[in-house]
Amino acid sequence: MALPNVLSFKFFATRPAKLRNLTVPTLIIWGASDNLFPVTWSRWLANTIPGTKLRVDVPHARLYMPAEHAAEFNAERRILWQR
């Protein structure tokens, strides 16, 4: 059995039914300069997940954005938690 290519947008795009069931408050924070996962994915996720409360694109951030931009990442999490 072949493993799915989880880096493929098609992999995620075939699962919207499950994502539409996520009603918990959701923060989508994205590295706007990520080469593997384009920012269009964050928009798609925000439109698909009904629990999305906040979507943030961090300029100049890439895949390891939570570690490389920890202050911005944590500030956005605090905003969500205070809602």
Side-chain angles (χ1 to χ4, degrees):
M1 178 172 92
L3 294 175
N5 179 2
V6 296
L7 298 180
S8 157
F9 183 75
K10 183 178 178 183
F11 175 81
F12 289 103
T14 59
R15 286 148 177 82
K18 290 182 179 182
L19 292 172
R20 284 190 190 106
N21 289 327
L22 293 175
T23 57
V24 296
T26 303
L27 164 64
I28 298 173
I29 184 165
W30 212 266
S33 296
D34 195 320
N35 294 328
L36 290 175
F37 301 98
V39 74
T40 53
W41 288 28
S42 75
R43 293 183 198 113
W44 179 82
L45 284 169
N47 289 328
T48 303
I49 299 172
T52 300
K53 301 297 181 198
L54 186 61
R55 185 185 73 81
V56 178
D57 298 331
V58 178
H60 311 294
R62 295 180 182 226
L63 183 62
Y64 299 107
M65 181 270 307
E68 295 169 348
H69 298 270
E72 292 169 83
F73 180 76
N74 290 326
E76 297 299 340
R77 291 188 332 175
R78 284 186 194 100
I79 290 170
L80 177 68
W81 294 340
Q82 292 172 354
R83 290 183 170 199

